[in-house]
Amino acid sequence: MSRSVGRLVSLDIGGTLGNAQGPGLAARLAAVSPLGPKQARRVMRDVLHTAPEITDAVIQQVCAELDIKQSNFPTDLPVSPLVLFPGVVEALQQLSDSATVVTLSNVTCTEADPDRLLTLLSPWVSAHFPSCRTGFAKPDCRAFWTVADAHQVSARTMVHVGDDWECDISGATAAGFAAVWLSHGRTVPDEHVLVEHDVLVAHDLADAVQHVRQLLDLRNP
């Protein structure tokens, strides 16, 4: 199947395409916050993940909201390279035959590495939409609509794939996207959302290819 105009797939990165080698800035901050990892990440989405640069004001706000000392804010962290999961390259090749493929990720400006991603994922992935560049972090609907607007297509014709239920699935369906959740063997968190929005479930990206093609065909008759 050849790539079709208007058929667009957005992919999460961490946990979907692969994992970074070693904890990044957000993970280190979440580990020292008394809020707990889940709540700490929610706090950081609106400030840290959408900041185009790490300024003193950003550090002060993040530390205040995480209830940690500013001395606990790591500086000069090396960028941890992304290691792709087995089968991802083959899955990207197949997806790119069916649609234009882009990434949509929540990532700090210290960890975003678009040049390396382009090299790693080219020619199958054509563009990257990190939250630190778009200014919106998933599950904010505007993160998804930014991708649709950039490619001048309707959100209702698009499919998003990710492994984080709150950010990827709740966010995508609220924005009007079709969605495929990568379970990695986990139980579906919300069966109601699964049924109401026709969310499809796959074990990993390789397993998701046929689901994505099915949704693309349904949304792009």
Side-chain angles (χ1 to χ4, degrees):
M1 184 183 297
S2 61
R3 179 179 298 175
S4 301
V5 176
R7 296 164 67 94
L8 188 62
V9 176
S10 57
L11 304 174
D12 174 48
I13 296 180
T16 296
L17 301 182
N19 281 326
Q21 290 184 318
L25 175 58
R28 290 177 183 271
L29 289 171
V32 297
S33 172
L35 299 182
K38 191 171 184 178
Q39 182 59 28
R41 289 181 182 278
R42 286 176 176 169
V43 167
M44 286 187 283
R45 285 177 200 152
D46 292 334
V47 183
L48 186 63
H49 283 94
T50 58
E53 60 179 328
I54 305 299
T55 63
D56 290 341
V58 168
I59 293 174
Q60 183 177 4
Q61 183 178 356
V62 169
C63 290
E65 295 191 12
L66 291 179
D67 193 21
I68 63 175
K69 297 179 180 179
Q70 291 189 36
S71 59
N72 285 330
F73 195 101
T75 57
D76 300 325
L77 286 177
V79 176
S80 298
L82 179 71
V83 178
L84 299 179
F85 292 140
V88 162
V89 169
E90 292 80 3
L92 291 176
Q93 290 173 330
Q94 295 176 56
L95 288 173
S96 66
D97 284 339
S98 304
T100 297
V101 181
V102 302
T103 64
L104 175 59
S105 59
N106 289 352
V107 63
T108 69
C109 62
T110 64
E111 297 160 299
D113 194 356
D115 291 338
R116 186 176 186 277
L117 279 177
L118 282 174
T119 300
L120 183 65
L121 305 177
S122 180
W124 314 291
V125 178
S126 61
H128 301 284
F129 293 85
S131 57
C132 59
R133 190 186 79 190
T134 65
F136 306 113
K138 301 174 296 182
D140 190 329
C141 290
R142 293 172 293 181
F144 298 90
W145 294 336
T146 295
V147 178
D149 290 345
H151 287 80
Q152 299 182 326
V153 298
S154 166
R156 294 202 57 79
T157 67
M158 296 179 56
V159 179
H160 179 72
V161 183
D163 71 302
D164 186 295
W165 186 268
E166 181 178 5
C167 291
D168 294 308
I169 305 308
S170 296
T173 55
F177 282 39
V180 178
W181 183 57
L182 304 188
S183 69
H184 298 300
R186 296 168 293 170
T187 302
V188 173
D190 192 334
E191 291 284 351
H192 175 72
V193 172
L194 195 73
V195 174
E196 181 180 1
H197 296 284
D198 295 324
V199 175
L200 300 182
V201 179
H203 179 74
D204 55 20
L205 190 64
D207 188 38
V209 171
Q210 291 304 318
H211 289 337
V212 172
R213 286 176 170 170
Q214 175 185 341
L215 290 170
L216 285 170
D217 289 341
L218 288 172
R219 293 200 162 211
N220 299 270

